[in-house]
Amino acid sequence: MVLLLILVAFSCFNGVFSLGRKELLSLKRLTTTPAPARFSHTPKDGATILEMKHIKHIQKGLLTLDVVRVESIQSRIKNVVSGRVESSQARVPISSGIQLQTLNYIVIVTLGIRNLTVIVDTGSDLSWVQCQPCRLCYTQPEPLFNPLVSPSYRSVQCNSQPCHTLQSNTGNSGLCGNNAPKCNYAVTYGDGSYTRGELGRDRLTLGMTPVENFVFGCGRNNRGLFGAASGLLGLGRNDLSLISQTSDVFGGVFSYCLPNSDSGTSGSLILGNDTLVFKNTTPVSYTRLIPNPQLYSFYILNMTGASVGGVPLQSPSFGGNGVLIDSGTVITRLPPSVYTCVKAEFLRQFTGYPSAPSFSILDTCFNLSAYDEVNIPTLKMQFEGDAEISVDVTGMFYFAKRDASQVCLALASLAYEDQIGIIGNYQQRNTRVVYDTKQMQVGFAKEVCSFS
Ligand SMILES: *[C@@H]1O[C@H](CO)[C@@H](O)[C@H](O)[C@H]1NC(C)=O
Ligand SMILES: *[C@@H]1O[C@H](CO)[C@@H](O)[C@H](O)[C@H]1NC(C)=O
Ligand SMILES: *[C@@H]1O[C@H](CO)[C@@H](O)[C@H](O)[C@H]1NC(C)=O
Ligand SMILES: *[C@@H]1O[C@H](CO)[C@@H](O)[C@H](O)[C@H]1NC(C)=O
């Protein structure tokens, strides 16, 4: 028993000894968010977000949604397994969707003449908004998009290219009946959530840059994991994604910097190769996209290693299946062997703190309410070509309770070794992530997200 444990522990290390590196996380700042009345020491400089009770409630539900998303991605994968010069740029603020009950990130775009708040999703292709007249729409604070009052809106016809593309991508024939000139669409996200309606075209304006005749779904029957956002912007690699549709305009390149959801600041989503942004970052390190014709819409990378607090880990799973990077998954999922190593090394370095019960999918939790600040060993993930994501200190811990009495390592294990790992948005905070679909690479640089 003991021998076995030692062997397991040793199999995690590279045999390279390295000084542990930790970063300071101030808990004081995080606990300055509105504390419930029963706390007598409510700080003065409370940066207001949501009431604690509200957040607690939402967060529990939201992580459940994250589980469903990962199951859905895994099931999509399982189901599948049975150039031009860029000329323009567009820059829009990207911010946490927490106010809209989602842990996804949102941007405001202009569709026709309407400003709409939509989720940014690199894990799917077709963009859509909830549309009037609606048969079944979830509640959203913004008025529904009404194609009838958008002068530049056009229905996509059945016998047109986008309709054929949709059909060949989804294998969904029969969306056009004999007497239906309009192209209907149905996207199901595998977990029961869906959007259905008709395909339309309108002018999409991103920042100051208009994209004419943008094809999107005018959704009349929508249900699922979208919080209260008005729709979704699909940034996947397939034909109908924003990136594919605008490859003439933006050159198939985009990047984002996702801010810490507690900070109240925005980051930026940039379409096109805006090199100015790299003045505020460390040099970008690139890794190649792993081609997978059957999983074409995902961005899949070759993860070759990881370290915790500067201590390199070893696992046979590195360099195997590939991992996908996704803006729409919250918590990073690692193969069990990798997760076990990360957790063991983290616990070895983060000692002396009282533990707390597990929270949802997070099994490594602490009660840190007695501390003003703690030193946290941070995670680095390495990718083929010497690219590296250095997880920001704010991406290491998930605050299940605002008073820091249940703070959890923000990583989770996949169920099976052969499932594909997913790098979630929590671990991408304060990193400039560059997607280059032309040169088939993804790059990372450290950046403190801001929109300016
Ligand atoms: C849409 O947002 C832009 C930028 O914030 C603003 O200038 C414009 O007035 C808004 N348009 C509408 C119709 O609300
Ligand atoms: C962006 O532009 C820079 C400078 O013009 C160039 O070196 C780089 O290769 C371009 N990157 C992409 C992803 O197109
Ligand atoms: C990942 O990179 C490693 C090291 O360069 C290489 O040995 C391995 O074959 C790569 N895996 C894939 C799936 O390309
Ligand atoms: C967390 O720790 C504090 C201070 O050590 C203690 O007073 C409190 O009861 C603990 N909370 C929980 C939920 O265990």
Side-chain angles (χ1 to χ4, degrees), residues 108-152:
I108 300 175
V109 298
T110 308
L111 193 59
I113 51 172
R114 281 288 317 282
N115 288 348
L116 293 167
T117 306
V118 290
I119 288 172
V120 172
D121 187 14
T122 60
S124 65
D125 297 300
L126 185 70
S127 302
W128 56 270
V129 296
Q130 298 207 98
C131 224
Q132 267 183 29
C134 194
R135 194 179 314 158
L136 179 68
C137 282
Y138 54 84
T139 307
Q140 64 177 47
E142 295 170 338
L144 295 178
F145 179 78
N146 185 353
L148 292 178
V149 301
S150 186
S152 40

Side-chain angles (χ1 to χ4, degrees), residues 60 65 81 92 107 128 149 159 198 264 268 277 294 373 381:
K60 183 118 193 166
L65 300 187
V81 171
V92 288
V107 293
W128 56 270
V149 301
N159 54 2
E198 67 172 58
S268 56
V277 72
Q294 293 164 308
E373 47 188 32
M381 293 179 268

Side-chain angles (χ1 to χ4, degrees), residues 79-398:
N79 289 341
V80 170
V81 171
S82 49
R84 287 262 293 268
V85 183
E86 71 277 11
S87 52
S88 290
Q89 283 141 28
R91 194 179 231 243
V92 288
I94 186 166
S95 48
S96 160
I98 194 79
Q99 311 264 7
L100 294 177
Q101 294 85 51
T102 169
L103 291 174
N104 280 303
Y105 284 83
I106 51 173
V107 293
I108 300 175
V109 298
T110 308
L111 193 59
I113 51 172
R114 281 288 317 282
N115 288 348
L116 293 167
T117 306
V118 290
I119 288 172
V120 172
D121 187 14
T122 60
S124 65
D125 297 300
L126 185 70
S127 302
W128 56 270
V129 296
Q130 298 207 98
C131 224
Q132 267 183 29
C134 194
R135 194 179 314 158
L136 179 68
C137 282
Y138 54 84
T139 307
Q140 64 177 47
E142 295 170 338
L144 295 178
F145 179 78
N146 185 353
L148 292 178
V149 301
S150 186
S152 40
Y153 181 87
R154 301 282 177 273
S155 289
V156 166
Q157 301 300 302
C158 246
N159 54 2
S160 66
Q161 181 65 45
C163 198
H164 294 316
T165 302
L166 181 81
Q167 289 171 352
S168 61
N169 283 354
T170 55
N172 217 336
S173 55
L175 286 176
C176 298
N178 288 336
N179 307 316
K182 292 178 180 178
C183 180
N184 294 314
Y185 79 91
V187 176
T188 302
Y189 294 87
D191 49 39
S193 73
Y194 56 81
T195 172
R196 291 174 202 149
E198 67 172 58
L199 276 197
R201 292 176 179 274
D202 208 330
R203 179 186 308 115
L204 175 73
T205 309
L206 300 150
M208 305 298 286
T209 311
V211 176
E212 302 295 339
N213 296 315
F214 179 68
V215 176
F216 66 99
C218 198
R220 301 226 153 89
N221 191 344
N222 319 301
R223 224 179 162 74
L225 317 177
F226 316 114
S230 296
L232 178 145
L233 201 58
L235 301 185
R237 296 169 61 207
N238 244 337
D239 294 333
L240 284 177
S241 83
L242 173 67
I243 306 311
S244 302
Q245 288 192 54
T246 59
S247 67
D248 285 355
V249 187
F250 299 122
V253 179
F254 70 100
S255 72
Y256 56 63
C257 187
L258 305 177
N260 174 1
S261 60
D262 295 326
S263 66
T265 59
S266 295
S268 56
L269 168 67
I270 298 177
L271 294 123
N273 182 11
D274 182 351
T275 49
L276 276 181
V277 72
F278 302 123
K279 288 193 170 151
N280 296 322
T281 72
T282 59
V284 187
S285 59
Y286 284 98
T287 186
R288 96 189 149 94
L289 278 172
I290 305 294
N292 186 330
Q294 293 164 308
L295 298 173
Y296 187 75
S297 68
F298 290 123
Y299 298 94
I300 301 175
L301 314 176
N302 181 5
M303 183 169 171
T304 51
S307 67
V308 172
V311 177
L313 308 173
Q314 210 169 43
S315 160
S317 282
F318 291 134
N321 271 342
V323 296
L324 66 92
I325 181 160
D326 183 20
S327 69
T329 296
V330 181
I331 300 290
T332 293
R333 304 302 205 283
L334 298 167
S337 68
V338 176
Y339 179 72
T340 305
C341 288
V342 169
K343 177 178 165 177
E345 182 56 30
F346 186 89
L347 286 173
R348 198 181 66 77
Q349 295 180 35
F350 193 73
T351 51
Y353 297 100
S355 63
S358 302
F359 177 77
S360 183
I361 50 171
L362 310 177
D363 67 6
T364 307
C365 303
F366 306 90
N367 176 355
L368 301 179
S369 59
Y371 302 85
D372 282 346
E373 47 188 32
V374 287
N375 270 305
I376 305 179
T378 53
L379 173 70
K380 286 187 164 64
M381 293 179 268
Q382 277 97 30
F383 303 90
E384 187 183 329
D386 279 338
E388 184 175 82
I389 295 182
S390 198
V391 176
D392 190 73
V393 69
T394 63
M396 291 300 297
F397 273 156
Y398 187 91

Side-chain angles (χ1 to χ4, degrees), residues 31 38-39 52 367-370 399 401-406:
T31 54
R38 67 193 149 87
F39 280 74
M52 171 183 161
N367 176 355
L368 301 179
S369 59
F399 282 68
K401 296 221 171 74
R402 287 282 138 186
D403 65 357
S405 65
Q406 196 182 19

